[in-house]
Amino acid sequence: MTITSSKVATAVLMVVAPVVLGGCATKGFVRDEIATVNQRIDALDTRLQATDAMAKQADAAAQGAAGQGQNNGQRIDQLNARVDSLDQRMQQQPKRARN
């Protein structure tokens, strides 16, 4: 039995071809996959920036409301002091007879 070089070449090609052709991704395939992933990342980044802007606006509004609430509390405290003062004066004055 003689083994010819064409039989050896065929056998080597049958062993090597699946490894070479099946194991490597082409540059085009990798670029397409990366482009798809990059599009998804860009979409998520856009949504994240929009969410961040809304969160900053909500934070600013909350801080403004907190400041206004504090001012209102101070004004109420001042008014309470004035009412208490007037109430004390009313109680200290002698009751007038009604006619």
Side-chain angles (χ1 to χ4, degrees):
M1 186 182 241
T2 342
I3 300 178
T4 62
S5 62
S6 66
K7 288 183 180 179
V8 171
T10 303
V12 169
L13 184 62
M14 289 175 64
V15 171
V16 172
V19 172
V20 171
L21 296 176
C24 298
T26 63
K27 288 181 183 179
F29 174 79
V30 172
R31 285 186 191 129
D32 290 344
E33 291 299 311
I34 294 295
T36 302
V37 171
N38 282 340
Q39 287 175 349
R40 292 171 67 188
I41 289 172
D42 290 342
L44 288 173
D45 187 49
T46 300
R47 287 176 53 196
L48 177 63
Q49 288 176 1
T51 302
D52 186 49
M54 288 188 332
K56 286 180 180 177
Q57 287 175 348
D59 183 48
Q63 287 180 359
Q68 186 63 41
Q70 187 174 15
N71 288 341
N72 290 343
Q74 289 173 350
R75 291 179 66 198
I76 288 171
D77 288 343
Q78 290 171 354
L79 290 173
N80 278 338
R82 290 177 65 188
V83 168
D84 289 344
S85 174
L86 289 173
D87 188 39
Q88 286 178 356
R89 277 198 231 164
M90 292 292 291
Q91 290 188 15
Q92 289 174 357
Q93 288 183 355
K95 293 185 181 182
R96 296 182 184 169
R98 292 187 183 181
N99 295 331

